[in-house]
Amino acid sequence: QNTMANSIKAGVKGFLKRYTWRELEPSEGNYDFSEIASDLSFLSGQGMHLIVMVEDKTFVNEQPLPQYLAAQTVRNKSGGYTAVRWNQKIVTRMSALYAALGDRFDSDPYFEGLATLESAPSLDDSTMNATAYTPEKYRDALIDVLSAGAVGAPTSRMIWYMNFLPRKQGYIADVANAVAPLGVVLGGPDVMPDHVALQRLTYPFYQQFSGKMPLAVQVEPICYSHPHADKSLPTKYWTMDELFRYSRDNLDVNYMIWVRFPKADYYNSYDYFDALPVIENNPIFNQ
């Protein structure tokens, strides 16, 4: 909360915070939402909104799931763990968690909603095969969980962070079409306009679903040092204003979330404090 308090600047509308699944459900069916309640009480007093991201994937050696679900997690290529999201027990228990969160917080006007982690599971082929992965199972699991979150919190937002769906990227459109009528937000990590895979595989979904469902994007730490492909430009890295304008004009987003990245990685690259003037100058940029 001290970090959030220090980040309340002109143009900032609220915060997204990650909470691990194991913190929210220490044992099966027993929920502990005290930290969310405290954060929401603090932020509402500041006129700020809260998005709750439930962490079922980590990028460090940290288990995100409760002990009773540990058997349904696997090590990923990032050095962390990923829930086997296409496993029916994971689908059932995540849907129940979202329903419980909606029941508790949906009536609060400062509760903006729920968010998932990126759709990319970051698993190698052998691990996916060992968990009986198929793109059809994953597609259907995503539809079930997102629908549960949207139905359980009908006045809030369910934000789906999509980027990659292994072995059938086109199924992202199937998921989006299924949940768009429920008001789900299509979003994702990484504003990197010169990233070839994002341009080819992910960003086209923003154009496809613009006007059909709200859109969101998140500026990750790596984005603050995203180099221009065009070396003739005056800056080596995409500036914060350029990332904003790309998100607004090319991706047509309604939500733009900036990870609080406090120190630039490289000389002449950027950090969160470079983004603050852009946020202040564009407090409302899309409705």
Side-chain angles (χ1 to χ4, degrees):
Q1 289 175 12
N2 286 335
T3 299
M4 289 190 286
N6 291 331
S7 298
I8 296 175
K9 307 292 184 182
V12 174
K13 301 298 183 184
F15 294 89
L16 179 149
K17 182 178 172 182
R18 295 185 180 197
Y19 304 82
T20 61
W21 189 343
R22 71 170 192 275
E23 294 173 314
L24 301 178
E25 188 184 11
S27 60
E28 186 169 1
N30 296 307
Y31 300 112
D32 180 0
F33 298 156
S34 56
E35 185 175 345
I36 296 175
S38 175
D39 291 337
L40 191 56
S41 175
F42 166 75
L43 288 173
S44 64
Q46 310 296 317
M48 295 282 115
H49 290 226
L50 176 66
I51 297 172
V52 171
M53 176 176 275
V54 178
E55 199 170 54
D56 69 341
K57 174 183 176 182
T58 55
F59 300 87
V60 295
N61 187 19
E62 179 184 6
Q63 171 62 256
L65 268 61
Q67 183 58 39
Y68 83 92
L69 291 173
Q72 281 77 46
T73 60
V74 287
R75 295 304 299 264
N76 60 43
K77 295 188 291 185
S78 301
Y81 291 84
T82 299
V84 182
R85 294 166 174 164
W86 42 95
N87 177 279
Q88 188 54 50
K89 187 166 186 178
I90 292 292
V91 173
T92 299
R93 295 310 308 159
M94 178 65 91
S95 297
L97 174 59
Y98 283 160
L101 285 164
D103 184 63
R104 175 71 182 275
F105 297 112
D106 188 53
S107 61
D108 192 307
Y110 291 95
F111 180 70
E112 189 70 17
L114 299 164
T116 72
L117 264 77
E118 64 180 2
S119 61
S122 302
L123 304 178
D124 57 35
D125 283 340
S126 62
T127 302
M128 287 196 294
N129 291 339
T131 60
Y133 174 85
T134 70
E136 290 75 25
K137 284 183 182 179
Y138 194 20
R139 174 199 61 195
D140 295 346
L142 288 168
I143 292 171
D144 287 347
V145 169
L146 292 169
S147 297
V151 171
T155 63
S156 308
R157 292 294 193 187
M158 183 75 227
I159 304 176
W160 177 37
Y161 271 41
M162 64 83 197
N163 50 0
F164 302 109
L165 200 156
R167 303 178 185 171
K168 193 71 173 181
Q169 185 72 356
Y171 279 166
I172 287 178
D174 287 15
V175 178
N177 279 316
V179 300
L182 299 175
V184 171
V185 179
L186 181 74
D190 298 323
V191 186
M192 301 173 71
D194 286 327
H195 191 285
V196 174
L198 289 171
Q199 280 288 354
R200 184 170 65 88
L201 297 172
T202 303
Y203 290 162
F205 292 113
Y206 286 87
Q207 284 85 40
Q208 182 176 348
F209 289 96
S210 177
K212 299 177 182 177
M213 58 198 306
L215 303 173
V217 76
Q218 182 163 293
V219 180
E220 302 286 346
I222 193 172
C223 306
Y224 290 90
S225 55
H226 178 52
H228 281 292
D230 183 351
K231 304 306 179 185
S232 68
L233 293 171
T235 60
K236 179 177 180 179
Y237 303 102
W238 282 72
T239 68
M240 299 301 94
D241 186 61
E242 288 172 332
L243 292 185
F244 167 76
R245 286 188 282 110
Y246 182 84
S247 300
R248 180 194 63 190
D249 301 338
N250 294 73
L251 303 181
D252 200 25
V253 299
N254 307 88
Y255 289 86
M256 191 161 186
I257 299 161
W258 302 78
V259 172
R260 190 180 184 279
F261 182 62
K263 185 177 180 181
D265 275 337
Y266 308 109
Y267 177 71
N268 280 341
S269 67
Y270 304 98
D271 57 36
Y272 175 74
F273 301 102
D274 295 307
L276 286 175
V278 179
I279 296 170
E280 181 176 3
N281 291 332
N282 300 279
I284 299 176
F285 56 87
N286 203 340
Q287 296 295 308

